Amino acid sequence: MAAYRVCSSCDFWLMCLGYAMLGDQDPDGRRALRIDGVHYLSWTEEQGFPPEIGYVGGGENRYVLLDDPTGTVHVTRRLWLMGTIPDAFRDRMPDNAVFAPPT
């Protein structure tokens, strides 16, 4: 952080911006979701549970990616709430998904 002269909060959001720049998905299958200005990260079954702080619970979380013309509903049981995207980053990290209603 000192090398880039940013505070810990900005460092965290720059990391989140990195997910957006890399296509919102990492090689492990986690997907960055931005819904209503809030940043989430999904986890796969193989990865176990996300960190305890920010864990959204074991219920079914359904979402649709905004750039998916088929409107496929994705489901994850492991979702990590990373926080509300600060205004300074919002234009570079627009929403990329919406929550889908339960079936």
Side-chain angles (χ1 to χ4, degrees):
M1 290 182 295
Y4 295 106
R5 297 183 181 190
V6 297
C7 68
S8 60
S9 177
C10 289
D11 183 59
F12 174 79
W13 289 107
L14 286 169
M15 176 201 64
C16 293
L17 179 60
Y19 277 111
M21 295 171 67
L22 294 173
D24 292 322
Q25 190 164 9
D26 69 14
D28 293 336
R30 287 179 288 213
R31 184 181 300 274
L33 303 172
R34 293 177 305 278
I35 301 172
D36 293 328
V38 178
H39 198 286
Y40 300 89
L41 196 60
S42 70
W43 289 57
T44 64
E45 298 286 326
E46 297 79 28
Q47 292 167 323
F49 289 94
E52 210 173 284
I53 297 172
Y55 180 54
V56 180
E60 188 175 86
N61 297 284
R62 301 164 44 85
Y63 62 91
V64 176
L65 299 172
L66 295 177
D67 66 355
D68 180 1
T70 67
T72 302
V73 175
H74 301 271
V75 178
T76 183
R77 294 189 175 279
R78 295 181 164 114
L79 196 61
W80 184 23
L81 169 63
M82 298 179 81
T84 300
I85 301 167
D87 290 339
F89 290 91
R90 189 97 24 110
D91 64 329
R92 292 181 282 172
M93 296 184 356
D95 287 354
N96 67 347
V98 294
F99 283 120
T103 57

